[in-house]
PDB file of all heavy atoms in Angstrom:
ATOM      1  N   HIS A 603    -225.667-182.814 -67.523  1.00 92.00           N
ATOM      2  CA  HIS A 603    -226.558-182.599 -68.672  1.00 92.00           C
ATOM      3  C   HIS A 603    -227.466-181.390 -68.490  1.00 92.00           C
ATOM      4  O   HIS A 603    -228.350-181.146 -69.322  1.00 92.00           O
ATOM      5  CB  HIS A 603    -227.399-183.856 -68.931  1.00 92.00           C
ATOM      6  CG  HIS A 603    -226.577-184.991 -69.443  1.00 92.00           C
ATOM      7  ND1 HIS A 603    -226.094-185.987 -68.625  1.00 92.00           N
ATOM      8  CD2 HIS A 603    -226.117-185.264 -70.685  1.00 92.00           C
ATOM      9  CE1 HIS A 603    -225.391-186.835 -69.346  1.00 92.00           C
ATOM     10  NE2 HIS A 603    -225.382-186.412 -70.596  1.00 92.00           N
ATOM     11  N   ARG A 604    -227.265-180.641 -67.393  1.00 89.00           N
ATOM     12  CA  ARG A 604    -228.076-179.454 -67.093  1.00 89.00           C
ATOM     13  C   ARG A 604    -229.572-179.792 -67.153  1.00 89.00           C
ATOM     14  O   ARG A 604    -230.379-179.071 -67.734  1.00 89.00           O
ATOM     15  CB  ARG A 604    -227.768-178.305 -68.056  1.00 89.00           C
ATOM     16  CG  ARG A 604    -226.308-177.898 -68.128  1.00 89.00           C
ATOM     17  CD  ARG A 604    -225.793-177.302 -66.817  1.00 89.00           C
ATOM     18  NE  ARG A 604    -224.526-176.607 -67.026  1.00 89.00           N
ATOM     19  CZ  ARG A 604    -223.332-177.193 -66.898  1.00 89.00           C
ATOM     20  NH1 ARG A 604    -223.232-178.460 -66.559  1.00 89.00           N
ATOM     21  NH2 ARG A 604    -222.236-176.495 -67.111  1.00 89.00           N
ATOM     22  N   ASP A 605    -229.916-180.928 -66.557  1.00 88.00           N
ATOM     23  CA  ASP A 605    -231.312-181.371 -66.525  1.00 88.00           C
ATOM     24  C   ASP A 605    -231.978-180.755 -65.295  1.00 88.00           C
ATOM     25  O   ASP A 605    -231.992-181.337 -64.210  1.00 88.00           O
ATOM     26  CB  ASP A 605    -231.359-182.906 -66.472  1.00 88.00           C
ATOM     27  CG  ASP A 605    -232.767-183.452 -66.617  1.00 88.00           C
ATOM     28  OD1 ASP A 605    -233.732-182.692 -66.412  1.00 88.00           O
ATOM     29  OD2 ASP A 605    -232.900-184.657 -66.929  1.00 88.00           O
ATOM     30  N   TRP A 606    -232.495-179.538 -65.454  1.00 83.00           N
ATOM     31  CA  TRP A 606    -233.006-178.748 -64.338  1.00 83.00           C
ATOM     32  C   TRP A 606    -234.144-179.445 -63.598  1.00 83.00           C
ATOM     33  O   TRP A 606    -234.164-179.472 -62.362  1.00 83.00           O
ATOM     34  CB  TRP A 606    -233.461-177.372 -64.836  1.00 83.00           C
ATOM     35  CG  TRP A 606    -232.420-176.725 -65.683  1.00 83.00           C
ATOM     36  CD1 TRP A 606    -232.483-176.503 -67.030  1.00 83.00           C
ATOM     37  CD2 TRP A 606    -231.139-176.252 -65.255  1.00 83.00           C
ATOM     38  NE1 TRP A 606    -231.308-175.914 -67.459  1.00 83.00           N
ATOM     39  CE2 TRP A 606    -230.477-175.744 -66.400  1.00 83.00           C
ATOM     40  CE3 TRP A 606    -230.484-176.205 -64.027  1.00 83.00           C
ATOM     41  CZ2 TRP A 606    -229.202-175.197 -66.342  1.00 83.00           C
ATOM     42  CZ3 TRP A 606    -229.215-175.651 -63.969  1.00 83.00           C
ATOM     43  CH2 TRP A 606    -228.581-175.161 -65.123  1.00 83.00           C
ATOM     44  N   ASN A 607    -235.081-180.014 -64.342  1.00 83.00           N
ATOM     45  CA  ASN A 607    -236.213-180.687 -63.696  1.00 83.00           C
ATOM     46  C   ASN A 607    -235.734-181.866 -62.859  1.00 83.00           C
ATOM     47  O   ASN A 607    -236.205-182.077 -61.746  1.00 83.00           O
ATOM     48  CB  ASN A 607    -237.239-181.153 -64.734  1.00 83.00           C
ATOM     49  CG  ASN A 607    -237.951-179.995 -65.382  1.00 83.00           C
ATOM     50  OD1 ASN A 607    -238.105-178.930 -64.787  1.00 83.00           O
ATOM     51  ND2 ASN A 607    -238.381-180.192 -66.615  1.00 83.00           N
ATOM     52  N   ARG A 608    -234.804-182.624 -63.385  1.00 88.00           N
ATOM     53  CA  ARG A 608    -234.282-183.782 -62.659  1.00 88.00           C
ATOM     54  C   ARG A 608    -233.537-183.341 -61.401  1.00 88.00           C
ATOM     55  O   ARG A 608    -233.639-183.967 -60.358  1.00 88.00           O
ATOM     56  CB  ARG A 608    -233.359-184.608 -63.577  1.00 88.00           C
ATOM     57  CG  ARG A 608    -232.996-185.952 -62.997  1.00 88.00           C
ATOM     58  CD  ARG A 608    -234.207-186.878 -63.008  1.00 88.00           C
ATOM     59  NE  ARG A 608    -233.854-188.119 -62.347  1.00 88.00           N
ATOM     60  CZ  ARG A 608    -234.565-188.661 -61.369  1.00 88.00           C
ATOM     61  NH1 ARG A 608    -235.674-188.106 -60.957  1.00 88.00           N
ATOM     62  NH2 ARG A 608    -234.181-189.793 -60.823  1.00 88.00           N
ATOM     63  N   MET A 609    -232.777-182.246 -61.507  1.00 89.00           N
ATOM     64  CA  MET A 609    -232.061-181.738 -60.324  1.00 89.00           C
ATOM     65  C   MET A 609    -233.056-181.396 -59.218  1.00 89.00           C
ATOM     66  O   MET A 609    -232.805-181.684 -58.052  1.00 89.00           O
ATOM     67  CB  MET A 609    -231.225-180.508 -60.680  1.00 89.00           C
ATOM     68  CG  MET A 609    -229.892-180.841 -61.312  1.00 89.00           C
ATOM     69  SD  MET A 609    -228.875-179.360 -61.535  1.00 89.00           S
ATOM     70  CE  MET A 609    -229.075-179.097 -63.269  1.00 89.00           C
ATOM     71  N   MET A 610    -234.180-180.808 -59.594  1.00 85.00           N
ATOM     72  CA  MET A 610    -235.192-180.454 -58.602  1.00 85.00           C
ATOM     73  C   MET A 610    -235.801-181.723 -57.991  1.00 85.00           C
ATOM     74  O   MET A 610    -236.005-181.815 -56.792  1.00 85.00           O
ATOM     75  CB  MET A 610    -236.284-179.606 -59.244  1.00 85.00           C
ATOM     76  CG  MET A 610    -235.765-178.325 -59.866  1.00 85.00           C
ATOM     77  SD  MET A 610    -235.084-177.180 -58.678  1.00 85.00           S
ATOM     78  CE  MET A 610    -236.586-176.570 -57.990  1.00 85.00           C
ATOM     79  N   GLU A 611    -236.066-182.709 -58.825  1.00 88.00           N
ATOM     80  CA  GLU A 611    -236.628-183.973 -58.344  1.00 88.00           C
ATOM     81  C   GLU A 611    -235.674-184.684 -57.393  1.00 88.00           C
ATOM     82  O   GLU A 611    -236.104-185.401 -56.503  1.00 88.00           O
ATOM     83  CB  GLU A 611    -236.941-184.898 -59.529  1.00 88.00           C
ATOM     84  CG  GLU A 611    -238.092-184.429 -60.389  1.00 88.00           C
ATOM     85  CD  GLU A 611    -238.190-185.217 -61.692  1.00 88.00           C
ATOM     86  OE1 GLU A 611    -237.403-186.173 -61.891  1.00 88.00           O
ATOM     87  OE2 GLU A 611    -239.046-184.855 -62.519  1.00 88.00           O
ATOM     88  N   LEU A 612    -234.376-184.480 -57.598  1.00 92.00           N
ATOM     89  CA  LEU A 612    -233.360-185.152 -56.787  1.00 92.00           C
ATOM     90  C   LEU A 612    -232.955-184.345 -55.555  1.00 92.00           C
ATOM     91  O   LEU A 612    -231.923-184.600 -54.954  1.00 92.00           O
ATOM     92  CB  LEU A 612    -232.135-185.471 -57.650  1.00 92.00           C
ATOM     93  CG  LEU A 612    -232.396-186.474 -58.770  1.00 92.00           C
ATOM     94  CD1 LEU A 612    -231.224-186.532 -59.740  1.00 92.00           C
ATOM     95  CD2 LEU A 612    -232.678-187.856 -58.197  1.00 92.00           C
ATOM     96  N   GLY A 613    -233.759-183.372 -55.198  1.00 90.00           N
ATOM     97  CA  GLY A 613    -233.552-182.646 -53.955  1.00 90.00           C
ATOM     98  C   GLY A 613    -232.898-181.293 -54.092  1.00 90.00           C
ATOM     99  O   GLY A 613    -232.577-180.650 -53.092  1.00 90.00           O
ATOM    100  N   GLY A 614    -232.692-180.838 -55.321  1.00 88.00           N
ATOM    101  CA  GLY A 614    -232.069-179.534 -55.508  1.00 88.00           C
ATOM    102  C   GLY A 614    -233.013-178.393 -55.185  1.00 88.00           C
ATOM    103  O   GLY A 614    -234.187-178.438 -55.527  1.00 88.00           O
ATOM    104  N   SER A 615    -232.495-177.390 -54.514  1.00 86.00           N
ATOM    105  CA  SER A 615    -233.253-176.173 -54.232  1.00 86.00           C
ATOM    106  C   SER A 615    -233.173-175.268 -55.454  1.00 86.00           C
ATOM    107  O   SER A 615    -232.109-175.123 -56.045  1.00 86.00           O
ATOM    108  CB  SER A 615    -232.651-175.466 -53.020  1.00 86.00           C
ATOM    109  OG  SER A 615    -232.986-174.100 -53.024  1.00 86.00           O
ATOM    110  N   ILE A 616    -234.291-174.649 -55.828  1.00 80.00           N
ATOM    111  CA  ILE A 616    -234.285-173.780 -57.004  1.00 80.00           C
ATOM    112  C   ILE A 616    -233.255-172.663 -56.858  1.00 80.00           C
ATOM    113  O   ILE A 616    -232.627-172.260 -57.819  1.00 80.00           O
ATOM    114  CB  ILE A 616    -235.698-173.217 -57.294  1.00 80.00           C
ATOM    115  CG1 ILE A 616    -235.728-172.471 -58.621  1.00 80.00           C
ATOM    116  CG2 ILE A 616    -236.176-172.312 -56.165  1.00 80.00           C
ATOM    117  CD1 ILE A 616    -235.440-173.322 -59.826  1.00 80.00           C
ATOM    118  N   PHE A 617    -233.043-172.184 -55.658  1.00 80.00           N
ATOM    119  CA  PHE A 617    -232.084-171.100 -55.445  1.00 80.00           C
ATOM    120  C   PHE A 617    -230.658-171.573 -55.706  1.00 80.00           C
ATOM    121  O   PHE A 617    -229.857-170.851 -56.309  1.00 80.00           O
ATOM    122  CB  PHE A 617    -232.211-170.554 -54.025  1.00 80.00           C
ATOM    123  CG  PHE A 617    -233.590-170.060 -53.727  1.00 80.00           C
ATOM    124  CD1 PHE A 617    -234.431-170.772 -52.886  1.00 80.00           C
ATOM    125  CD2 PHE A 617    -234.065-168.896 -54.318  1.00 80.00           C
ATOM    126  CE1 PHE A 617    -235.717-170.321 -52.627  1.00 80.00           C
ATOM    127  CE2 PHE A 617    -235.348-168.439 -54.061  1.00 80.00           C
ATOM    128  CZ  PHE A 617    -236.186-169.156 -53.215  1.00 80.00           C
TER     129      PHE A 617
END
Side-chain angles (χ1 to χ4, degrees):
H603 291 97
R604 305 294 195 269
D605 187 342
W606 311 110
N607 291 332
R608 191 71 185 128
M609 278 187 257
M610 301 295 284
E611 291 169 4
L612 295 169
S615 157
I616 188 63
F617 302 107

